Amino acid sequence: MKKVFLIIIFLSSFLSAQNPNLGTSGAQFLQIPVGARAAALGGAMVGLTDDASSVFWNPAGITNVKSFDADFSYMNWFNLFDFNAAAIAYNVPDVGVFAAQMIVFTTDKMEVTTEEQPNGTGRFFDAGDIALGLTYSRMLTDKFSAGITVKYVYQRIWNETADGVAFDLGTQYKLDFRNLTIAMSMSNFGSNLKYDGADLNIVHLKNENYPFSRLTPARLQTEEFSLPLNFQVGICFDIFSLQFVKMRGAVDAVHPNDNNERLHFGTEFSFFDRFFLRGGYRYNYDDENFTAGAGANIPFGGSLIRFDYAFAFYDILPSVHRVSVGLSF
């Protein structure tokens, strides 16, 4: 147990530095926690993740998929946005585990307003983001696994779009002591994005003192923005394990490129390996803090169906509910 506490102290040391690049990256939908189980555990997932949803947290986790696994998740983000995510994973014996993922983040249409028409212009716009990825992972030894994801990131606001390619990397190392797992992941390493589209075309009057002068075609210039690069390292272990009841704990330290360092804490109680109660805490966040949830695994023929629910508490913003459904065989 002393080893566990030493690792926790090591993780907490990540919080000592302050990030000078606060709020400088785009594609923030990539940082929204995916999946009800992960959200209920406060995002302390790089070591715990072990099904198809691993592609959203640590691609090395899909090595725990024995044959086929699928995961689907939905939430309404602050009563404004719909967030849908799906992942499937398939184990090819002696080759590795392959997976595909998709995130779709959308909002309903909103009316365009201007300074001259603050009540609306009669025109409407919407926005949407998409991430599509492919993952490969395998066991390099009997205790060490690694995985990599390549994904396409696309953003749209009205008629303006930005896209690029990003990579995720992850590892998991399992020890015999209390089922301890030490894990690491790096997410969203890729090229900068830049918006472009027809609405950036304008006409410009060179000299306002001569109203009859010719209008000149012009174009608004947009700046590049980086992806939300995120480095996360963590541990998970059995706090106690009885015949019918088990309690697992997890701690992750998170270093984003556009915010201060953070800590994620998560605890999961399992009963008969069929019913689960979960809780988490997200440290050093401006608004979000406590999370909670529950889940169940139901055998169905030769398959196992998973149902998970999570609730995230916010001080000012509306609380968020998440639901996930999984299938494995």
Side-chain angles (χ1 to χ4, degrees), residues 144-206:
F144 182 77
S145 62
I148 183 172
T149 297
V150 57
K151 57 188 178 185
Y152 172 71
V153 181
Y154 173 87
Q155 291 194 280
R156 180 182 61 83
I157 302 177
W158 204 0
N159 298 311
E160 279 57 62
T161 62
D163 62 354
V165 177
F167 295 88
D168 300 343
L169 301 172
T171 61
Q172 285 185 343
Y173 182 62
K174 298 182 179 181
L175 302 175
D176 295 330
F177 174 74
R178 290 187 177 271
N179 201 20
L180 175 67
T181 300
I182 303 173
M184 177 278 297
S185 71
M186 181 179 66
S187 305
N188 309 319
F189 177 78
S191 59
N192 292 342
L193 274 61
K194 184 177 181 179
Y195 276 102
D196 192 13
D199 295 322
L200 299 177
N201 296 322
I202 60 174
V203 291
H204 176 65
L205 184 63
K206 286 186 176 181

Side-chain angles (χ1 to χ4, degrees), residues 237-254:
F237 54 94
D238 291 342
I239 298 175
F240 66 80
S241 180
L242 305 177
Q243 185 175 4
F244 302 115
V245 182
K246 181 189 296 184
M247 179 182 180
R248 301 209 73 194
V251 183
D252 287 6
V254 185

Side-chain angles (χ1 to χ4, degrees), residues 68-327:
F68 174 85
D69 195 276
D71 191 86
F72 308 91
S73 178
Y74 169 79
M75 69 173 171
N76 185 263
W77 189 244
F78 302 138
N79 300 324
L80 293 172
F81 306 93
D82 287 322
F83 186 96
N84 294 274
I88 56 173
Y90 181 70
N91 190 324
V92 180
D94 301 323
V95 177
V97 184
F98 296 86
Q101 61 166 288
M102 176 180 66
I103 297 176
V104 179
F105 187 61
T106 57
T107 183
D108 294 333
K109 290 186 176 181
M110 295 176 282
E111 190 169 9
V112 177
T113 61
T114 65
E115 294 180 354
E116 292 80 13
Q117 297 175 288
N119 295 323
T121 62
R123 295 187 300 167
F124 292 83
F125 77 98
D126 62 352
D129 302 327
I130 297 175
L132 303 173
L134 296 174
T135 300
Y136 171 72
S137 181
R138 67 171 299 162
M139 298 294 300
L140 300 182
T141 70
D142 61 336
K143 297 182 182 298
F144 182 77
S145 62
I148 183 172
T149 297
V150 57
K151 57 188 178 185
Y152 172 71
V153 181
Y154 173 87
Q155 291 194 280
R156 180 182 61 83
I157 302 177
W158 204 0
N159 298 311
E160 279 57 62
T161 62
D163 62 354
V165 177
F167 295 88
D168 300 343
L169 301 172
T171 61
Q172 285 185 343
Y173 182 62
K174 298 182 179 181
L175 302 175
D176 295 330
F177 174 74
R178 290 187 177 271
N179 201 20
L180 175 67
T181 300
I182 303 173
M184 177 278 297
S185 71
M186 181 179 66
S187 305
N188 309 319
F189 177 78
S191 59
N192 292 342
L193 274 61
K194 184 177 181 179
Y195 276 102
D196 192 13
D199 295 322
L200 299 177
N201 296 322
I202 60 174
V203 291
H204 176 65
L205 184 63
K206 286 186 176 181
N207 193 332
E208 296 182 357
N209 295 322
Y210 298 92
F212 295 105
S213 62
R214 181 176 298 177
L215 295 174
T216 303
R219 185 172 178 80
L220 298 175
Q221 182 70 29
T222 60
E223 294 184 356
E224 290 187 346
F225 57 90
S226 63
L227 290 170
L229 180 65
N230 194 70
F231 180 76
Q232 190 162 337
V233 59
I235 61 170
C236 68
F237 54 94
D238 291 342
I239 298 175
F240 66 80
S241 180
L242 305 177
Q243 185 175 4
F244 302 115
V245 182
K246 181 189 296 184
M247 179 182 180
R248 301 209 73 194
V251 183
D252 287 6
V254 185
H255 177 80
N257 69 336
D258 61 348
N259 215 313
N260 296 325
E261 284 69 24
R262 296 156 168 176
L263 282 178
H264 299 168
F265 300 89
T267 303
E268 181 179 67
F269 290 88
S270 64
F271 305 91
F272 305 97
D273 288 329
R274 288 288 178 264
F275 305 99
F276 304 87
L277 293 177
R278 305 179 179 111
Y281 182 75
R282 295 163 69 82
Y283 175 74
N284 210 25
Y285 283 77
D286 294 332
D287 191 37
E288 186 181 9
N289 40 54
F290 292 99
T291 59
N297 294 339
I298 302 175
F300 184 78
S303 305
L304 190 69
I305 303 176
R306 303 186 302 270
F307 297 95
D308 294 302
Y309 166 79
F311 182 82
F313 299 86
Y314 288 81
D315 294 331
I316 300 174
L317 297 170
S319 297
V320 176
H321 303 266
R322 291 176 175 87
V323 292
S324 296
V325 178
L327 174 66

